[in-house]
Amino acid sequence: MSLVLGLASLPAASLADDIKPKAPETAFSGKLRPDILGISTESNAESARGIFDSLFKGRTDTKTDIQQQKFGNGGTSYVTALSFSLPAGSKQNGEMLSTSFSSPASANRAYFVARNLTFAQDQQPSKADMIREVMGKYGVPTIVGDQHLYYIYRKGSIMSVGGKYKEATALEAIDKPLDPRAAVKLNGDTVRGSCVAVVKRAQTKAKEPSAMLAEAKGANCDGVLSVQLVPGTPADRVGIAQFTLLDVKQLVSAAAIDGAALAGGSSEGSMPKGSAPKL
C-alpha cells in the first residue's frame, strides 16, 4: 500500500462530546520551536499525516506503519504513531521517519519525532557541511561530543554550559568524548536524570507514554533535540545522521491530561446501563 493511500484511509481522531481536548504544556515556543522535516511537537497526528503525504507522495518503494488504539474503554480510535521507511541502496539514501502522539484528550500532539538517514556511499555529505546545516537550522548547541550535537531546553531557552560553539569548534569536538566538566554544569546540583541519557534511552525503548513517563518526570530539562553524525568513509564524511526530538514537558503534561480525562469518564462508564423491565 502506498503511503498516500494508507494515510487517506485513516480516521480522524475525535472525542466524545463531554470530553474537550486540552493542549498540553510544551518545552518549546515561538522561534525556539525545533522541527524535523516540518513536524514539531505542536503537530498533531492529522497535520503530521499531511506532511508525510507531501514529502513522500508518489514513492512506491516505501513501507508505512500506522498504529492506532482506542481512548479508554470503547472510545474513539486515534493514531498513536506514524512511521515511514525507505530502504537504502547502492545509489539511494535510506530514510526512516517516525512520530508518536498523545491521546485526543491532550490534542493528539507529537511528543517524540525521529529521523534516520543512511547515506549511499557516493552521496555522503562532509561532516563540516552537516554541522553547518544543523547549526544554521537549530542554532548553537548546548554540548557537542560523542558524535552528537545536543540541544537541551529548559525554561523556554537552549541551555548553555559556558562554551559558545562555532561551526569550527563543533567540528573539532564532535568525535571526542563529551566534556565531563560541561556535563556537570549541565546537570547542576540536582539529582535529576541526565537529559543526554534520557534521550538516548528514548531512542531504544517503546515510545508509549507508559514506557517513557517515569524517566521524563525525572529528567533535568524540558526538552531535548539530539543530532548524531556517524562517520562514513572516509571519516570526514557522514554515513548516518540521526535526528531525535523529545518534548519531555509535553509528555508529562499530556499524561496528566489523559489520566484526568479517563478518570472523569470512568465512573459514568462503569455504571450499569440497563433499564427496568416491563412489568
Side-chain angles (χ1 to χ4, degrees):
M1 180 182 292
S2 71
L3 180 69
V4 178
L5 291 176
L7 297 184
S9 66
L10 289 178
S14 62
L15 276 177
D17 292 338
D18 56 340
I19 301 178
K20 302 301 181 184
K22 180 179 179 182
E25 298 179 9
T26 176
F28 313 115
S29 62
K31 294 182 179 180
L32 287 179
R33 190 182 296 280
D35 69 85
I36 296 177
L37 288 180
I39 300 175
S40 72
T41 59
E42 191 179 34
S43 303
N44 59 23
E46 183 177 2
S47 62
R49 291 201 305 265
I51 292 173
F52 272 61
D53 187 7
S54 62
L55 288 172
F56 308 117
K57 186 176 182 179
R59 300 302 298 258
T60 59
D61 51 351
T62 62
K63 291 183 179 179
T64 307
D65 182 26
I66 301 160
Q67 298 180 26
Q68 301 178 58
Q69 69 181 40
K70 292 184 180 294
F71 185 67
N73 295 325
T76 303
S77 294
Y78 69 97
V79 176
T80 61
L82 293 172
S83 67
F84 152 89
S85 60
L86 176 68
S90 58
K91 299 295 182 181
Q92 175 178 276
N93 294 337
E95 182 167 0
M96 182 177 68
L97 180 64
S98 60
T99 311
S100 299
F101 305 94
S102 67
S103 88
S106 50
N108 205 204
R109 292 287 177 87
Y111 56 84
F112 179 89
V113 187
R115 184 191 189 196
N116 194 329
L117 284 167
T118 302
F119 295 103
Q121 179 66 43
D122 63 347
Q123 297 182 46
Q124 294 181 354
S126 72
K127 209 171 290 183
D129 285 347
M130 281 296 297
I131 289 174
R132 183 179 305 112
E133 290 294 320
V134 169
M135 293 182 64
K137 180 177 177 68
Y138 299 116
V140 178
T142 302
I143 189 170
V144 180
D146 191 28
Q147 300 181 349
H148 290 76
L149 297 94
Y150 289 106
Y151 294 80
I152 310 296
Y153 295 79
R154 191 186 295 166
K155 296 180 180 179
S157 62
I158 299 173
M159 290 185 62
S160 173
V161 288
K164 283 286 186 181
Y165 290 98
K166 298 184 181 297
E167 291 173 11
T169 53
L171 178 61
E172 183 181 354
I174 188 75
D175 290 320
K176 296 179 180 179
L178 290 173
D179 184 348
R181 294 169 299 179
V184 170
K185 290 181 181 179
L186 182 62
N187 291 328
D189 297 328
T190 71
V191 294
R192 302 185 71 189
S194 161
C195 283
V196 169
V198 168
V199 73
K200 279 188 174 183
R201 285 193 283 268
Q203 293 166 344
T204 61
K205 56 171 52 178
K207 305 305 183 292
E208 292 87 359
S210 59
M212 302 171 68
L213 187 57
E215 284 198 340
K217 287 182 175 180
N220 194 23
C221 66
D222 295 328
V224 190
L225 171 68
S226 163
V227 181
Q228 182 178 12
L229 304 178
V230 178
T233 306
D236 65 342
R237 295 278 160 175
V238 176
I240 298 173
Q242 186 175 32
F243 300 78
T244 306
L245 178 62
L246 174 62
D247 193 332
V248 177
K249 188 173 185 178
Q250 182 155 275
L251 175 59
V252 174
S253 177
I257 293 170
D258 296 348
L262 289 170
S266 61
S267 58
E268 181 180 347
S270 62
M271 292 292 289
K273 297 184 182 297
S275 56
K278 185 177 180 179
L279 301 177

